[in-house]
Amino acid sequence: MVAFGKRLKERQVQEWQEYYINYKLMKKRVKQYAQQIELGTQDRQHVLKDFSRMLDNQIEKTVLFLLEEQGRLASRIANLGEQQDAAQQEQEHAIRNMSEQREAYRTIGQDLLKLLSFVEINAVGLRKILKKFDKRFGYRFTDYYVKTRANHPYSQLQQVFKHVGLGAVVGALSRNLHDLQDLQGRQGSYLSIYDQPTLPLQDPVIISVKAAVDRLTHSTNFLNFLGQHALIMQEELPAPTDENVDERYHFTSLVLNLVNTFLYMVNTYIIVPTADDYSMHLGAAPTVCGIVIGAMAVAQLFSSVYFSAWSNKSYFRPLVFSSIILFLGNTMYALAYDFNSIWILLIGRLCCGFGSARAVNRRYISDCVPLKIRIQASAGFVSASALGMACGPALAGLLQTNFKIYNVTFNQDTLPGWVMTIAWLIYSIWLWISFVEPSREFEEDRKTEKSQKSNAEDSDALEKGLQQPLLITSEDKVDEDADQDNDDSEEAPEESRQPATSIGSAYRLLTPSVKVQLLIYFMLKYVMEILLAESSVITTYYFKWSTGTVAIFLAGLGLTVLPINIIVGSYVSNWFDDRQILLASEIMVLIGIVSAFHVIVPYSELQYICSGLLMFVSAEVLEGINLSLLSRVMSSRLSRGTYNGGLLSTEAGTIARVIADATITVAGYLGVGTLLNITLLPSLFICIISIVATCYTYNSLY
């Protein structure tokens, strides 16, 4: 992995080099501050004041150059517009010059792309140095700096992060190119793009500019927002698609990974409507359904780690192993009825959890799918999960029958197990026939190439050293030391840029902002699991709902996922900052929890349904925004390897589900009548803590 400072330098436009923020200089200054504080020669206030002044100067330099370049682009567009108006007076002259004018506009578009890249590189560099400062000194400097600068009426920080003014240049360029295209197509009779907003210009340069603007502003559409749920981390400075990754991509293999995700989510939720009835038939209390449902999550805590490690070597073998384990686990779940054994039931569910290959599905998309379609694949991953979550309970509601074949019982309790057994058998056959294991030869070639490059650099350095004079001046010595200090920075050692090698090393990379986002993820998964897992027991006790009615309720909740994500991803996330939506969603979850408590007698179906819907929908909105922010504030070292950001979020969510299911079972011993309020109390407590923690780190989520 190339150091961030080197990647930053490689992406710079050479003639603009002096106008970029000096990332290496600021990193060197952070190192000097650390040494000064350690020696006691500087105090905290001086460090904060000096570093703030340095940041202000760097940002001002960048912003003034940005405004100057914007003016030049605007002037060029205005001059071309005047030429276009003059040329249209003579029809023949206008047609002859159309192609020249179009190329001139496209040249401006290419220069605009360079300017957008300039802004993006500076924004990323600024975020990195702020994170580095906070991590090195343990200060909340980012919170202070963003709060004082971003909200100021003369904010220059807004220019860097919000590219104020560039939108007008993009609009002018788009309109003029559209006018040229329409004039040529209609021979002089045309409408403006403002009269035809549903017919966007498809010129390649405009498409590239729009993509750059969307990436820069973090604006999103439905696919982008949905893809964020998968927490498949992208590069901070997006690079051209790696050709080797394209060679590894196989469409059917991607589909098989998505089908695996879908079936696993169906497998998770298909038993929820009948788990309490199954437990009672085997002689246990209905609230033991919490353990039955949670057994799968307990096993997933361990399976996520070994599947993530296994995917470093293969994708096919772990998927085959997953299918076999899930086949056996569902068979045991179904046979537990005739053996009248709660232990066989629990072991079967544990086996299903040990077959969770979601880590493999994520890694396949991250490592093998080309960058240009990775966001669509990520959205497919989340859509498959949401669809499986809805189909599981719905399918359980259809399996209302009772018969025997050769003394094997098929009823509403056992049929979910038998259906999933057949599904995993068919999937295994399809997997064996169609999956193509991606080649890993290019990784070895890349390592060899890297080694050869390193040897060549060493040889060049040796030759360069032999050509140096034996005596150098003191000025040369100072310059050389400065260069070495820049090169031998804290990012320079190769091991410091390697992926985390253990849960402990991954945890040490977590900043306060990341920890808060993981806490929020824990909270929302806990709330959703409490709502879903105890729904059958609660609705049977209070409202006498049948299994079919519970299945319809749960399926209805699952079906809200995609419509809500469409609304939030296409509209809401473009109107408000992610951190604003995050805090608002947490508050809505809190309102849903409070409104669900059994205080008013009698407890009505309307109260339960409305509060449950509010909790679930708010948690779904919160999940997308939370994972979007998590991918931005998390260290780049957690984007690859076994112990990656996706694994950490999965573990946090799985632990939440395990604790929630255990809470249901333990609370059940106090009586079903008090189950609802007792299980909602921890949800209320955790939600309040997460809101307080969000407010504490709010400005660091800029």
Side-chain angles (χ1 to χ4, degrees), residues 95-384:
I95 295 174
R96 187 168 58 251
N97 287 342
M98 273 184 189
S99 60
E100 296 179 5
Q101 291 175 335
R102 185 180 294 109
E103 288 305 313
Y105 278 120
R106 286 173 177 166
T107 301
I108 295 175
Q110 295 297 329
D111 291 339
L112 179 58
L113 279 173
K114 287 166 56 179
L115 191 59
L116 288 169
S117 176
F118 171 83
V119 178
E120 181 178 20
I121 288 174
N122 283 291
V124 173
L126 186 57
R127 284 195 184 98
K128 290 284 287 186
I129 200 64
L130 286 169
K131 287 169 62 178
K132 187 177 294 296
F133 187 90
D134 284 349
K135 183 178 179 181
R136 192 69 180 260
F137 300 106
Y139 298 162
R140 293 181 60 206
F141 178 75
T142 300
D143 183 90
Y144 157 77
Y145 191 80
V146 171
K147 185 176 181 180
T148 55
R149 268 64 173 179
N151 299 324
H152 195 277
Y154 306 126
S155 171
Q156 293 177 331
L157 197 64
Q158 289 281 359
Q159 288 279 355
V160 177
F161 283 110
K162 301 298 182 182
H163 66 281
V164 180
L166 280 173
V169 179
V170 174
L173 181 65
S174 301
R175 185 189 68 80
N176 282 281
L177 263 174
H178 182 277
D179 287 353
L180 270 178
Q181 177 179 294
D182 204 76
L183 180 62
Q184 187 177 28
R186 298 169 184 259
Q187 296 181 347
S189 175
Y190 64 96
L191 297 173
S192 169
I193 58 170
Y194 304 114
D195 300 315
Q196 297 176 310
T198 58
L199 298 176
L201 180 64
Q202 297 300 317
D203 192 283
V205 72
I206 297 301
I207 294 174
S208 299
V209 167
K210 185 179 184 303
V213 170
D214 288 344
R215 186 173 64 248
L216 180 61
T217 58
H218 298 295
S219 65
T220 183
N221 55 30
F222 171 55
L223 285 181
N224 290 331
F225 183 78
L226 203 59
Q228 290 165 357
H229 285 61
L231 195 61
I232 295 172
M233 298 178 68
Q234 308 291 335
E235 292 290 335
E236 288 174 303
L237 293 176
T241 305
D242 191 341
E243 293 179 359
N244 290 322
V245 175
D246 287 337
E247 292 175 1
R248 304 179 75 195
Y249 171 64
H250 182 248
F251 176 74
T252 305
S253 300
L254 173 61
V255 171
L256 283 163
N257 274 280
L258 298 180
V259 171
N260 183 281
T261 298
F262 168 76
L263 289 178
Y264 185 79
M265 293 303 291
V266 171
N267 210 149
T268 300
Y269 290 100
I270 193 172
I271 71 156
V272 173
T274 58
D276 59 332
D277 183 70
Y278 205 164
S279 300
M280 291 174 62
H281 177 82
L282 298 180
T287 52
V288 173
C289 69
I291 292 180
V292 175
I293 296 170
M296 202 166 174
V298 171
Q300 191 178 344
L301 281 172
F302 303 96
S303 66
S304 296
V305 178
Y306 69 72
F307 272 118
S308 183
W310 201 351
S311 62
N312 291 327
K313 298 180 179 179
S314 173
Y315 299 99
F316 176 68
R317 287 192 290 272
L319 288 176
V320 171
F321 177 78
S322 165
S323 304
I324 294 173
I325 292 297
L326 283 158
F327 173 83
L328 295 175
N330 282 289
T331 302
M332 293 178 69
Y333 181 87
L335 290 175
Y337 190 94
D338 293 306
F339 281 97
N340 195 31
S341 172
I342 189 71
W343 292 108
I344 294 178
L345 183 75
L346 292 174
I347 293 172
R349 286 294 287 179
L350 282 171
C351 286
C352 291
F354 283 123
S356 171
R358 287 171 65 83
V360 180
N361 307 144
R362 255 199 200 98
R363 285 291 297 276
Y364 184 88
I365 294 173
S366 176
D367 295 347
C368 302
V369 175
L371 186 62
K372 60 185 177 182
I373 62 168
R374 192 174 299 163
I375 194 66
Q376 289 91 333
S378 300
F381 176 86
V382 177
S383 299

